[in-house]
Amino acid sequence: MPQTQNIIRPWTGIREQLRQRPRVSAAVVLVTACILGAGAYFLLAPHLWAQYHWWEAQRFLKNYQFPEAIRQFQSCLQVWPRSAATYFQLGRAERRQGNMVNARQHLQKAYGLRYPLEDLQLEFNLIEAQTGDVQAVERKLTDYLAEGHPDELLIYEALVKGYWHHSFFVEAYHWATLWIQRLPKDWYAYYMRALVLERGQNFRKAVDDFAQVLELKPDHFDARLHLADMLVHVKRLAEALEHYNFYLQQRPDSPYAGLGRGRCLMLLGHDAEARSVFENVLTRPGADRDPSLADGFRMYGQLEWQQDKPAAALPLLRKAVALDPTNAQANRFLAAVLRSTGQDAEAQRCEDKAQIVDRTYIRLDQIVAELGQIGPILNEAAKNRAVLLRYEAGSSLLRIGHDEDGIGWLISASQLDPAHEPTKKALKDYYNEKGPLLERVKPQ
Amino acid sequence: MSQLRARESRGKARLLVAVGVLGGAFAIAAACWWGYSMLAGYVAWQQALNDYEQDDMVEAKRHLQQCVASWPNDAEARFYLARACRRTADISGKEHLEAAMRLGWPKDAINLEQELIEAQFRDVREVETALYSLLQVGHYDEINIMEALAQGFLREHLLTSLVKCAGIWSEKYPKDWRPKYYWGYAYEMGNNQERAISRYQAVLELKPDQLETRRRLGTLLRRNGQPREAFVHLQYCHERQPNSAEVVMELARCLLMLARSDEARALLAKWMQEHGDDDPAALETRAEVEIEASGPAAAIPWLRRAEQKMPQDHRVVSLLARALRETGQKEEAEKYELRRDEVEKLLRKLDDIFAELLNDPDNVDRRFEAGTISMRLGRTREGVRWFMSVLQLEANHPATHRALAEYYESIGDKAKARNHRDTAEGKKRAFVH
C-alpha cells in the first residue's frame, strides 16, 4: 500500500496487520473483552442488581407482601445508599407492614435527601391515620380522595387499618366497603374487611369475606386459618376441620392450626383423636411457656376431666391458668377439679375469677353491639354515649389485666372526646404506674 | 490618499480587534467568575446538605452563608439558612426567612417556620395548639416542630408540657437521643433526680459522646452521693472539654468526695492559672477543697473573695459561717449563720414554687415570686427569665415591669429600664423583648 494512504488511514494498516496475525488479534480481542467485562461488572452490574431488587420489591408490594418488599428495598440501599426514592418506598412499605418507628426513620431520611414534599406529607398523614388520631386525619384524607389522589388505594387501606386498630368497627367497615367497591378483585380489601368483622364479632359476615379472600387468593394461609376459626364460632365444624387439615398439610408444625383442629375434633366428639392432637402440640419444646397455647392446655385438661381423670386434668388446667390467668374456661374447669379433690378455697377463687372475666366479656360483647347500633357519630348525644361505652370497655379490660386491649379502647375514647376526664385520668394513672411515658395521651 | 485610507482602515481594524479582544476577555472573565460562584455555591450547598443530615447546624449555617453569598437569590438556600439560624439560636435568621418569602418559597413552609420561631423564642403557648394540630394529622417536619416546642416549654419552665412533648417525640422516634435529653432536663428542673438520671443514661446509650448530657449526669450522680460513677462521666467530659469551667468545678468536687483533695486542688490551681483566679465558682470550689485539705483557716481568704462576687450564694455563705465558727470567730460566724438561714429559707420557698408550678404553670404570682427570689439570691439570669415568663402570661404586669426596670438600671441599660418603667406606670403599651 502507498505510504500516503497509510498516513491518511493508519487504522486500515493495523487491521491488515491484525488479520495477518490471528493470535495477536485474538489476544487483543480477549483483553478488550476482559476490560469491558470488568468495567461492566464493577460499574454497571451493581446498579443492574439493585434495579432487579427494585422491580422485585414492586412485585411484592403489588401482592401485599410487605416483609419481602422491605428486604428488597434494603438490598437496593446497599448500592444506592443516597436514593431518596428508595428510602421513601421503604418507609411506605414499613408503614403498611405496621412498623411505624422504622417507617418514620426512613421517611425522614427521604426528607433529608429532598424527596418531593407532597408525597412525604401524605405518608405522614397515613402514619397518623393508621396509629394516631384517625378521625382528625380522616378529614384531610377525604379531601385528597375528593381531588382524585393517585394514591387513593393507600388512603383506603390506611383508614381501614386505623379504624380497625382503634376499634371503630363501623367506620372501618365503611372504608373497607368503599375500597372493595373501587377494586372488587382486590383480595386484600376483603381480607381487611373480614378482620374488621371478626374483631367486631360479626362472625357470619367474616366467614363470607374470608371465603372470598380464598376465592381470589387460594394460597393465603392466614385467611384460611381465620376462616377456620370463624367457622368454629358459627358451629360449622366439619368445614372448619377441612380448612385446618388443609392448612396443616402445608404447615404441619403450626401449633395454632393444630389446636384449632383439636378443638374441632373435641366439639365433634372425636375425643381420642383430639387427645392425640393435643399431646402432639403441647409436648413440643417451649410449649409450656407459650401463652398462646393456654387454651390448648385448657382443652386437654377438659378432656381428661371429662374422662374422669382428675389427677391428669389438674396439672394441665393449672398450666393453662398459669399461662393465661384470665382464661375463664380454664379457671372454671380448674375450679371443678379442685372441688372434686376437696380444695374448695382455691376452687372458689378460680370461680370468682372466671365470673369476673365472663362478666367483662359479656359486657364487652354488649358494648360492641351497641356501638354497632350507634353507627357513625352524627350528633353530640351519640358521641357522648360512644365515649362512655369505650371508656367502660377500656377500664374493664384493664381491671382484668388485658392491658393492650384496654389501653386501645381508652385511647379510642380519648380520640372521640379528648376532654373526657375519666378517660384522661385512667390513661394517666396507667402510665404513671406501668411506664414512664405519657406517649399515647393526645396533646391538649 | 489611498495610502492614508489604507492606514486609517488598518488603524480601525486594529481598534476593532483590540475592543473585540478586550470584550472577549471581559466576557470570559465574567463567565469564569459566574462559573466559579455557581460552583462555589453548589459545593457549599452540598456541604450544607451533608451537615443537615448529620444534624450539625453550626456547620450547616456556615456553609449556607457561603452558599447564599454566591446564590443570593436562591429561595431554598435562604430558607434553610433561616432554619439553621433558628436552630442555632441566631435571630438574624429572620431576614433570610423574609428573603425566602420574597423569592417565592412556599408560603406554608414560611408560615411554619415563623410559628417555630414564635414557639422557640417568644411565646410557645401562642402557637402550641396550632403546632400540636399539625402533629395530630402528621407532618414531614414533625421533628422540627417537636424540637421547637420542647425548647419553648423549657424556656418558659413549663415542665409538665415539656415531659409530654418529649414523651410523644420519644415514642415516635425512640432512637433519637434529643427527646430523652429534654425529658431528663425536665425531671432535673423538677427535682426528680432518679428519673433525670435514668433519662440521661438512656441518652448516652444512644449517643455516648453527648457531652452536655454527660456533664449533667455526672453532676446529678455526684449530688446523689455516687461520686465514683460521677467521676467516670466528668473525667470523660474534661478530657474533651478541658476549658469548660462547669466541668472542672464538678470534677473537682467529685475528687473531693473521693478523698482525692490534692488532685482537686491541682486541677483547680491549673484552671485558675490558665483562666484567671477571679471566677466566683472557681473561688468557691477552691474554698471547699481547702476546707477539706487544709482546714477552715486556709479556706477563709478564698471564701471572702467568692463572697465579694456572690454575696448571696448559699454554698459560700454556709462555708464561710462554718469556717468562721471553726476558727473561733463567733460573732462574725453568727452573722453569716443568720444570712445562711435566710438564704436557705428563700431556696426552700423556691422549691415550693417549682412544685406548685408543675400543677399550675400559669400562676403569674408564683412566677413573679420566683423571679424576685432568684434576684435576691443573685441569680439574675434566672430571675430575668422568670420575669419574662410572667410577661408572656400578663404583658402589663406592673410589678414585673418595675422589677425589670430596676434590674436594667443596675446594669446600665437605661433604654430598657425606661421602657419598663413607663410600662409599669401605664405610660405605654407592654412589649416583650
Side-chain angles (χ1 to χ4, degrees):
Chain A
M1 189 175 280
Q3 231 162 345
T4 47
Q5 278 183 312
N6 269 349
I7 290 162
I8 291 163
R9 292 164 65 184
W11 55 272
T12 312
I14 291 171
R15 260 196 1 203
E16 191 55 41
Q17 285 174 34
L18 281 176
R19 212 179 279 129
Q20 288 166 9
R21 293 173 179 78
R23 279 191 198 143
V24 170
S25 40
V28 165
V29 165
L30 195 62
V31 166
T32 309
C34 284
I35 291 170
L36 287 173
Y41 178 77
F42 287 111
L43 296 173
L44 283 179
H47 293 279
L48 289 174
W49 180 82
Q51 188 64 52
Y52 163 75
H53 282 289
W54 177 272
W55 288 327
E56 279 292 284
Q58 299 304 326
R59 187 171 64 81
F60 283 126
L61 283 176
K62 249 181 154 175
N63 289 329
Y64 300 101
Q65 291 169 276
F66 305 124
E68 291 81 358
I70 288 167
R71 275 194 287 274
Q72 300 299 325
F73 284 128
Q74 283 167 341
S75 299
C76 292
L77 284 175
Q78 288 174 20
V79 179
W80 302 330
R82 297 185 61 77
S83 164
T86 308
Y87 274 113
F88 177 80
Q89 291 293 336
L90 179 54
R92 175 169 273 183
E94 293 275 17
R95 173 187 61 74
R96 296 175 77 186
Q97 175 62 11
N99 303 328
M100 296 309 164
V101 170
N102 292 348
R104 284 196 162 95
Q105 291 286 138
H106 297 308
L107 290 171
Q108 287 294 339
K109 195 80 185 169
Y111 177 39
L113 292 166
R114 312 194 30 256
Y115 197 76
L117 294 178
E118 272 175 25
D119 293 337
L120 280 169
Q121 183 54 54
L122 174 66
E123 270 312 298
F124 279 96
N125 290 144
L126 296 180
I127 286 176
E128 290 304 322
Q130 257 183 255
T131 56
D133 192 341
V134 56
Q135 292 182 319
V137 195
E138 185 185 0
R139 283 186 280 276
K140 191 154 188 182
L141 295 176
T142 310
D143 290 342
Y144 285 144
L145 289 172
E147 290 162 15
H149 199 284
D151 286 325
E152 64 172 324
L153 299 177
L154 292 177
I155 294 174
Y156 287 128
E157 181 189 314
L159 284 168
V160 171
K161 284 178 175 170
Y163 276 122
W164 171 61
H165 180 70
H166 289 107
S167 310
F168 286 96
F169 305 122
V170 172
E171 290 82 354
Y173 182 83
H174 162 75
W175 284 108
T177 303
L178 285 177
W179 184 2
I180 287 169
Q181 283 170 2
R182 184 72 184 77
L183 270 188
K185 295 282 178 211
D186 191 341
W187 65 264
Y188 194 62
Y190 283 103
Y191 182 65
M192 289 308 309
R193 194 169 73 171
L195 290 176
V196 168
L197 289 163
E198 180 183 4
R199 189 112 176 264
Q201 310 202 1
N202 196 331
F203 301 126
R204 290 186 198 286
K205 279 191 171 176
V207 163
D208 294 340
D209 274 354
F210 280 125
Q212 184 64 26
V213 173
L214 290 176
E215 191 86 16
L216 295 167
K217 193 170 170 56
D219 60 348
H220 196 294
F221 291 109
D222 280 348
R224 193 172 292 279
L225 205 50
H226 278 279
L227 174 58
D229 290 344
M230 293 301 101
L231 287 167
V232 171
H233 271 291
V234 299
K235 308 279 189 271
R236 284 157 63 176
L237 298 169
E239 287 171 70
L241 192 57
E242 265 179 44
H243 286 291
Y244 283 125
N245 286 338
F246 186 97
Y247 188 99
L248 284 165
Q249 276 168 17
Q250 311 300 318
R251 293 186 182 173
D253 292 332
S254 165
Y256 194 73
L259 288 186
R261 182 162 177 263
R263 182 183 287 110
C264 273
L265 289 166
M266 204 168 125
L267 290 169
L268 287 166
H270 304 316
D271 288 355
E273 264 187 271
R275 184 181 287 108
S276 152
V277 167
F278 293 139
E279 259 175 34
N280 180 30
V281 173
L282 299 175
T283 52
R284 287 180 200 168
D288 59 345
R289 289 185 300 277
D290 186 351
S292 67
L293 299 181
D295 211 43
F297 284 100
R298 189 269 303 167
M299 287 188 285
Y300 196 3
Q302 184 182 335
L303 263 182
E304 299 295 54
W305 170 240
Q306 282 164 353
Q307 295 291 313
D308 205 21
K309 296 177 189 170
L314 189 58
L316 293 166
L317 291 167
R318 282 201 189 283
K319 175 62 62 184
V321 168
L323 289 173
D324 182 6
T326 60
N327 186 317
Q329 281 188 296
N331 275 291
R332 201 170 294 111
F333 280 108
L334 180 58
V337 174
L338 287 168
R339 283 216 187 274
S340 76
T341 56
Q343 297 174 68
D344 289 339
E346 199 184 341
Q348 187 60 49
R349 282 197 294 276
C350 291
E351 276 168 7
D352 291 342
K353 223 191 299 181
Q355 222 173 32
I356 292 170
V357 173
D358 270 342
R359 272 206 294 264
T360 303
Y361 277 102
I362 289 169
R363 182 62 192 136
L364 191 60
D365 286 349
Q366 290 169 348
I367 287 172
V368 169
E370 195 178 336
L371 285 170
Q373 281 166 8
I374 291 172
I377 308 291
L378 297 173
N379 56 52
E380 199 63 23
K383 184 183 112 173
N384 292 339
R385 183 69 189 145
V387 168
L388 280 172
L389 289 170
R390 288 174 183 278
Y391 165 72
E392 188 188 339
S395 36
S396 309
L397 286 166
L398 283 183
R399 268 198 296 274
I400 62 169
H402 288 192
D403 288 3
E404 208 180 307
D405 286 344
I407 286 295
W409 281 102
L410 287 175
I411 289 173
S412 72
S414 79
Q415 284 179 0
L416 275 182
D417 182 2
H420 189 242
E421 288 299 329
T423 304
K424 279 165 65 175
K425 183 175 182 311
L427 283 167
K428 192 176 171 186
D429 288 346
Y430 175 80
Y431 283 113
N432 280 341
E433 192 195 319
K434 297 283 177 104
L437 298 177
L438 297 172
E439 53 224 342
R440 291 177 211 170
V441 177
K442 288 297 152 193
Q444 300 304 315
Chain B
M1 197 66 170
S2 62
Q3 269 182 348
L4 191 62
R5 273 202 203 109
R7 262 205 300 272
E8 269 179 20
S9 65
R10 270 203 300 275
K12 274 184 192 161
R14 278 192 200 126
L15 187 63
L16 275 170
V17 165
V19 166
V21 164
L22 271 171
F26 181 74
I28 289 170
C32 285
W33 176 83
W34 178 85
Y36 170 75
S37 70
M38 286 296 115
L39 190 62
Y42 176 78
V43 167
W45 175 245
Q46 291 301 317
Q47 283 169 329
L49 288 179
N50 275 340
D51 297 326
Y52 253 93
E53 242 184 289
Q54 306 298 324
D55 204 41
D56 185 350
M57 287 299 118
V58 172
E59 283 303 296
K61 190 173 97 172
R62 189 171 68 84
H63 288 126
L64 284 164
Q65 281 164 340
Q66 288 169 1
C67 180
V68 160
S70 300
W71 298 346
N73 295 322
D74 188 286
E76 192 176 12
R78 289 276 188 182
F79 177 79
Y80 275 94
L81 178 53
R83 175 161 280 187
C85 286
R86 174 180 61 76
R87 294 190 66 196
T88 51
D90 178 355
I91 53 167
S92 72
K94 199 178 159 200
E95 65 177 79
H96 296 294
L97 195 62
E98 285 164 3
M101 189 160 63
R102 276 196 312 273
L103 292 165
W105 193 244
K107 207 158 179 348
D108 283 346
I110 301 280
N111 288 343
L112 175 63
E113 194 58 29
Q114 282 170 340
E115 281 178 341
L116 298 184
I117 289 171
E118 182 73 24
Q120 199 170 324
F121 298 116
R122 297 194 203 113
D123 188 353
V124 66
R125 273 175 276 217
E126 191 71 29
V127 290
E128 183 182 355
T129 307
L131 290 175
Y132 268 131
S133 301
L134 290 178
L135 290 178
Q136 205 170 20
V137 299
H139 198 281
Y140 54 81
D141 243 340
E142 54 187 15
I143 293 181
N144 275 309
I145 292 171
M146 290 185 288
E147 186 185 49
L149 281 170
Q151 290 184 350
F153 290 137
L154 187 64
R155 187 177 46 77
E156 294 188 28
H157 207 87
L158 297 166
L159 299 183
T160 311
S161 301
L162 178 57
V163 167
K164 199 191 286 185
C165 177
I168 293 168
W169 186 355
S170 191
E171 188 198 3
K172 290 180 192 262
Y173 296 92
K175 293 179 193 167
D176 193 338
W177 63 270
R178 289 170 296 175
K180 292 173 175 48
Y181 171 77
Y182 285 113
W183 218 340
Y185 205 139
Y187 282 132
E188 189 185 341
M189 294 294 112
N191 286 329
N192 192 330
Q193 289 204 2
E194 240 181 76
R195 282 190 171 175
I197 287 171
S198 136
R199 288 292 168 274
Y200 286 149
Q201 283 168 339
V203 170
L204 294 178
E205 275 166 33
L206 294 169
K207 193 163 169 64
D209 59 348
Q210 222 297 304
L211 293 177
E212 176 65 15
T213 307
R214 237 181 233 282
R215 182 186 66 77
R216 288 190 175 278
L217 177 58
T219 306
L220 281 177
L221 286 168
R222 184 191 65 76
R223 286 185 196 159
N224 208 33
Q226 297 168 264
R228 274 202 191 83
E229 294 85 345
F231 178 77
V232 170
H233 296 293
L234 293 168
Q235 180 67 7
Y236 182 102
C237 291
H238 181 57
E239 282 162 8
R240 286 149 186 82
Q241 287 178 327
N243 294 322
S244 162
E246 287 161 324
V247 170
V248 166
M249 302 312 140
E250 277 303 321
L251 187 55
R253 290 188 189 113
C254 197
L255 286 166
L256 206 55
M257 283 177 81
L258 292 168
R260 290 155 69 174
S261 48
D262 289 341
E263 283 177 63
R265 187 197 272 135
L267 176 70
L268 281 169
K270 181 168 180 269
W271 193 88
M272 287 167 105
Q273 203 176 25
E274 287 167 7
H275 297 91
D277 60 354
D278 230 16
D279 180 82
L283 291 168
E284 184 245 301
T285 313
R286 185 64 187 263
E288 276 183 59
V289 170
E290 292 303 331
I291 275 193
E292 295 303 326
S294 315
I300 289 176
W302 296 103
L303 286 168
R304 292 222 190 268
R305 285 174 65 189
E307 195 213 350
Q308 282 171 6
K309 306 274 177 186
M310 306 186 293
Q312 294 294 81
D313 184 84
H314 174 248
R315 199 88 187 107
V316 168
V317 170
S318 304
L319 286 171
L320 206 35
R322 175 185 153 193
L324 289 167
R325 177 69 63 182
E326 285 176 10
T327 50
Q329 299 173 63
K330 287 189 187 148
E331 264 183 48
E332 213 182 345
E334 270 173 23
K335 276 197 302 201
Y336 280 101
E337 278 159 5
L338 278 169
R339 222 200 305 174
R340 178 202 62 200
D341 292 343
E342 226 177 86
V343 168
E344 278 173 5
K345 214 166 125 184
L346 289 173
L347 286 172
R348 274 197 301 273
K349 184 75 191 150
L350 207 50
D351 280 343
D352 291 341
I353 291 174
F354 285 172
E356 268 187 64
L357 285 173
L358 281 174
N359 295 319
D360 185 14
D362 293 350
N363 191 320
V364 161
D365 293 333
R366 286 290 160 271
R367 284 181 178 267
F368 175 72
E369 204 178 341
T372 310
I373 291 173
S374 299
M375 290 305 221
R376 281 175 67 184
L377 289 170
R379 299 178 184 177
T380 51
R381 251 175 73 178
E382 221 177 288
V384 169
R385 242 189 23 232
W386 280 113
F387 287 142
M388 297 309 269
S389 77
V390 170
L391 298 181
Q392 301 284 9
L393 290 165
E394 217 178 281
N396 288 312
H397 196 256
T400 304
H401 282 291
R402 273 196 293 276
L404 282 169
E406 238 177 78
Y407 166 69
Y408 285 118
E409 193 74 54
S410 72
I411 61 167
D413 191 336
K414 298 217 183 293
K416 278 189 182 159
R418 192 172 42 247
N419 269 326
H420 282 291
R421 207 176 304 115
D422 289 346
T423 312
E425 290 165 6
K427 289 179 185 169
K428 64 183 281 180
R429 266 187 66 74
F431 73 96
V432 178
H433 55 82

